[in-house]
mmCIF file of all heavy atoms in Angstrom:
data_model
loop_
_atom_site.group_PDB
_atom_site.id
_atom_site.type_symbol
_atom_site.label_atom_id
_atom_site.label_comp_id
_atom_site.label_asym_id
_atom_site.label_seq_id
_atom_site.Cartn_x
_atom_site.Cartn_y
_atom_site.Cartn_z
ATOM 1 N N TYR A 48 39.591 -65.760 26.450
ATOM 2 C CA TYR A 48 39.563 -67.219 26.584
ATOM 3 C C TYR A 48 38.565 -67.834 25.605
ATOM 4 O O TYR A 48 38.750 -68.959 25.142
ATOM 5 C CB TYR A 48 39.191 -67.578 28.031
ATOM 6 C CG TYR A 48 38.909 -69.034 28.267
ATOM 7 C CD1 TYR A 48 39.957 -69.954 28.346
ATOM 8 C CD2 TYR A 48 37.612 -69.490 28.437
ATOM 9 C CE1 TYR A 48 39.704 -71.297 28.575
ATOM 10 C CE2 TYR A 48 37.347 -70.828 28.664
ATOM 11 C CZ TYR A 48 38.395 -71.723 28.735
ATOM 12 O OH TYR A 48 38.139 -73.060 28.963
ATOM 13 N N TYR A 49 37.516 -67.109 25.265
ATOM 14 C CA TYR A 49 36.451 -67.618 24.402
ATOM 15 C C TYR A 49 36.718 -67.368 22.917
ATOM 16 O O TYR A 49 35.896 -67.723 22.082
ATOM 17 C CB TYR A 49 35.103 -67.013 24.817
ATOM 18 C CG TYR A 49 34.753 -67.412 26.228
ATOM 19 C CD1 TYR A 49 35.040 -66.569 27.296
ATOM 20 C CD2 TYR A 49 34.178 -68.642 26.504
ATOM 21 C CE1 TYR A 49 34.765 -66.948 28.593
ATOM 22 C CE2 TYR A 49 33.894 -69.031 27.803
ATOM 23 C CZ TYR A 49 34.197 -68.179 28.840
ATOM 24 O OH TYR A 49 33.926 -68.558 30.124
ATOM 25 N N ASP A 50 37.853 -66.759 22.585
ATOM 26 C CA ASP A 50 38.238 -66.554 21.189
ATOM 27 C C ASP A 50 38.856 -67.841 20.641
ATOM 28 O O ASP A 50 39.559 -68.563 21.357
ATOM 29 C CB ASP A 50 39.275 -65.436 21.061
ATOM 30 C CG ASP A 50 38.709 -64.070 21.368
ATOM 31 O OD1 ASP A 50 37.491 -63.944 21.589
ATOM 32 O OD2 ASP A 50 39.506 -63.110 21.398
ATOM 33 N N LEU A 51 38.603 -68.103 19.377
ATOM 34 C CA LEU A 51 39.225 -69.240 18.704
ATOM 35 C C LEU A 51 40.485 -68.783 17.985
ATOM 36 O O LEU A 51 40.512 -67.678 17.427
ATOM 37 C CB LEU A 51 38.259 -69.856 17.688
ATOM 38 C CG LEU A 51 36.954 -70.422 18.249
ATOM 39 C CD1 LEU A 51 36.078 -70.911 17.109
ATOM 40 C CD2 LEU A 51 37.244 -71.548 19.229
ATOM 41 N N GLN A 52 41.510 -69.604 17.988
ATOM 42 C CA GLN A 52 42.746 -69.253 17.292
ATOM 43 C C GLN A 52 42.507 -69.113 15.795
ATOM 44 O O GLN A 52 43.191 -68.343 15.127
ATOM 45 C CB GLN A 52 43.822 -70.301 17.559
ATOM 46 C CG GLN A 52 44.345 -70.243 18.974
ATOM 47 C CD GLN A 52 45.477 -71.238 19.214
ATOM 48 O OE1 GLN A 52 45.789 -72.060 18.367
ATOM 49 N NE2 GLN A 52 46.077 -71.145 20.375
ATOM 50 N N SER A 53 41.535 -69.823 15.269
ATOM 51 C CA SER A 53 41.240 -69.762 13.839
ATOM 52 C C SER A 53 40.357 -68.574 13.472
ATOM 53 O O SER A 53 40.017 -68.377 12.317
ATOM 54 C CB SER A 53 40.553 -71.058 13.406
ATOM 55 O OG SER A 53 39.339 -71.234 14.128
ATOM 56 N N GLY A 54 39.965 -67.788 14.480
ATOM 57 C CA GLY A 54 39.067 -66.654 14.269
ATOM 58 C C GLY A 54 37.688 -66.975 14.827
ATOM 59 O O GLY A 54 37.314 -68.124 14.996
ATOM 60 N N GLY A 55 36.936 -65.941 15.116
ATOM 61 C CA GLY A 55 35.611 -66.137 15.684
ATOM 62 C C GLY A 55 35.678 -66.445 17.171
ATOM 63 O O GLY A 55 36.708 -66.252 17.828
ATOM 64 N N VAL A 56 34.556 -66.924 17.687
ATOM 65 C CA VAL A 56 34.460 -67.224 19.117
ATOM 66 C C VAL A 56 33.951 -68.652 19.311
ATOM 67 O O VAL A 56 33.355 -69.239 18.413
ATOM 68 C CB VAL A 56 33.543 -66.217 19.850
ATOM 69 C CG1 VAL A 56 34.115 -64.815 19.779
ATOM 70 C CG2 VAL A 56 32.135 -66.251 19.301
ATOM 71 N N SER A 57 34.164 -69.169 20.508
ATOM 72 C CA SER A 57 33.785 -70.547 20.818
ATOM 73 C C SER A 57 32.271 -70.725 20.807
ATOM 74 O O SER A 57 31.503 -69.770 20.950
ATOM 75 C CB SER A 57 34.326 -70.940 22.191
ATOM 76 O OG SER A 57 33.593 -70.266 23.199
ATOM 77 N N SER A 58 31.847 -71.967 20.668
ATOM 78 C CA SER A 58 30.413 -72.273 20.715
ATOM 79 C C SER A 58 29.844 -71.958 22.101
ATOM 80 O O SER A 58 28.660 -71.642 22.214
ATOM 81 C CB SER A 58 30.160 -73.732 20.353
ATOM 82 O OG SER A 58 30.805 -74.603 21.258
ATOM 83 N N LYS A 59 30.662 -71.992 23.135
ATOM 84 C CA LYS A 59 30.181 -71.639 24.478
ATOM 85 C C LYS A 59 29.733 -70.184 24.512
ATOM 86 O O LYS A 59 28.690 -69.865 25.067
ATOM 87 C CB LYS A 59 31.265 -71.901 25.521
ATOM 88 C CG LYS A 59 31.575 -73.359 25.672
ATOM 89 C CD LYS A 59 32.735 -73.588 26.588
ATOM 90 C CE LYS A 59 33.042 -75.067 26.653
ATOM 91 N NZ LYS A 59 34.064 -75.386 27.610
ATOM 92 N N ARG A 60 30.523 -69.313 23.915
ATOM 93 C CA ARG A 60 30.129 -67.902 23.842
ATOM 94 C C ARG A 60 28.937 -67.741 22.903
ATOM 95 O O ARG A 60 28.003 -66.998 23.205
ATOM 96 C CB ARG A 60 31.290 -67.024 23.387
ATOM 97 C CG ARG A 60 30.866 -65.561 23.283
ATOM 98 C CD ARG A 60 32.009 -64.629 23.016
ATOM 99 N NE ARG A 60 31.485 -63.278 22.803
ATOM 100 C CZ ARG A 60 32.224 -62.191 22.779
ATOM 101 N NH1 ARG A 60 33.529 -62.275 22.945
ATOM 102 N NH2 ARG A 60 31.668 -61.004 22.590
ATOM 103 N N GLN A 61 28.960 -68.410 21.769
ATOM 104 C CA GLN A 61 27.840 -68.325 20.834
ATOM 105 C C GLN A 61 26.534 -68.753 21.500
ATOM 106 O O GLN A 61 25.501 -68.110 21.311
ATOM 107 C CB GLN A 61 28.096 -69.198 19.602
ATOM 108 C CG GLN A 61 29.155 -68.652 18.695
ATOM 109 C CD GLN A 61 29.459 -69.593 17.541
ATOM 110 O OE1 GLN A 61 29.082 -70.762 17.540
ATOM 111 N NE2 GLN A 61 30.168 -69.081 16.556
ATOM 112 N N ASN A 62 26.579 -69.820 22.289
ATOM 113 C CA ASN A 62 25.373 -70.283 22.988
ATOM 114 C C ASN A 62 24.876 -69.246 23.983
ATOM 115 O O ASN A 62 23.674 -68.990 24.088
ATOM 116 C CB ASN A 62 25.638 -71.610 23.701
ATOM 117 C CG ASN A 62 25.842 -72.753 22.748
ATOM 118 O OD1 ASN A 62 25.499 -72.685 21.566
ATOM 119 N ND2 ASN A 62 26.431 -73.826 23.247
ATOM 120 N N ALA A 63 25.792 -68.640 24.732
ATOM 121 C CA ALA A 63 25.407 -67.620 25.708
ATOM 122 C C ALA A 63 24.772 -66.425 25.013
ATOM 123 O O ALA A 63 23.745 -65.896 25.455
ATOM 124 C CB ALA A 63 26.621 -67.190 26.527
#
Side-chain angles (χ1 to χ4, degrees):
Y48 171 76
Y49 298 96
D50 291 355
L51 298 176
Q52 289 183 353
S53 60
V56 297
S57 72
S58 61
K59 293 174 183 186
R60 179 172 175 167
Q61 289 176 346
N62 291 343

